[in-house]
Amino acid sequence: DMISARLDLVPDDDGRRLGASFVSKKVAVGDVAALAGLTSPLAGRVDADLRLSAHGRSAEELAATLAIDGAGQLRDGYLEPLPLAGQVALPALSDVSADLSVTGLDKPARLAGQAKAPSGLVTFEAAATPRRLIEGGAAPVVAGFDGPVLSADFDGEVDPAALAANGSLTLTSRRFPALIGAADLPPTASLDGRLEAGAGHLALADARLMLGDSAF
């Protein structure tokens, strides 16, 4: 297990130039979260190699010119069940593996991976702009997952600090009778609408349900 970091702040013709790097090898996710004073429902081992740079005469100019690139990997992960509302919760995921690619603060960082759910193998992907996440508050996110029973696609805003989301959600099942435990139903179904979710509440407005070729 290893975490190393380096920070250089040197003068140049236009003020100061900042260079920084962060490298981790097989570090526990909980240890990384603890460094930031956070707790995480996700466990696993992280490899990462991130590089930062900036230049300017003031802290504001340094922040405005900050750039970042690098990659990260999560292996042997486990995600605890995440409560949504009432008795509804996202299921626990085991054997989580993921790859992260960052090409700049103002370009979408991309995450892709897979995990095991109670119903089988799940693949997932997401994209978000790092600068908005660093600044705090809600950030635009495009995400989706594909499982053996249910698939989902989300396009909207997510606030990680508040565990809240707001945007368009589409759920699709190719094994609808198995999903709800009832026979004599169309094999495919989809539900789409406007999602508003946060700690303890979940709402779907302007919803449309498709059962086979029938709309409701």
Side-chain angles (χ1 to χ4, degrees):
D1 300 350
M2 182 267 289
I3 296 178
S4 65
R6 177 171 177 169
L7 176 64
D8 298 309
L9 184 60
V10 298
D12 68 7
D13 294 339
D14 295 323
R16 294 171 293 177
R17 186 169 296 276
L18 169 71
S21 63
F22 175 85
V23 177
S24 69
K25 299 293 184 183
K26 294 181 173 60
V27 174
V29 172
D31 293 342
V32 178
L35 289 175
L38 303 172
T39 58
S40 173
L42 177 66
R45 314 296 290 184
V46 175
D47 292 339
D49 184 0
L50 299 175
R51 297 165 296 277
L52 295 87
S53 64
H55 68 274
R57 297 183 179 86
S58 64
E60 290 77 12
E61 289 183 353
L62 288 171
T65 58
L66 184 65
I68 182 172
D69 67 274
Q73 295 180 336
L74 171 71
R75 296 294 182 264
D76 302 321
Y78 178 80
L79 182 65
E80 298 175 358
L82 298 177
L84 294 177
Q87 300 299 314
V88 179
L90 296 177
L93 298 177
S94 61
D95 294 337
V96 181
S97 63
D99 294 280
L100 172 69
S101 176
V102 183
T103 57
L105 282 178
D106 297 308
K107 295 181 180 179
R110 301 191 180 277
L111 178 72
Q114 65 179 33
K116 288 184 179 178
S119 59
L121 184 67
V122 172
T123 60
F124 57 88
E125 60 183 1
T129 304
R131 188 180 298 277
R132 293 290 296 272
L133 294 174
I134 293 172
E135 291 174 349
V141 172
V142 177
F145 80 86
D146 187 17
V149 176
L150 186 67
S151 300
D153 292 287
F154 174 81
D155 187 349
E157 292 188 335
V158 173
D159 187 341
L163 296 176
N166 186 342
S168 298
L169 176 69
T170 300
L171 302 174
T172 304
S173 174
R174 293 173 293 276
R175 294 171 54 189
F176 186 59
L179 178 65
I180 66 171
D184 301 326
L185 290 172
T188 61
S190 65
L191 174 68
D192 61 78
R194 189 75 187 174
L195 173 74
E196 291 186 10
H201 76 274
L202 174 67
L204 189 67
D206 300 324
R208 181 186 62 169
L209 175 64
M210 294 287 297
L211 296 180
D213 296 326
S214 302
F216 298 88

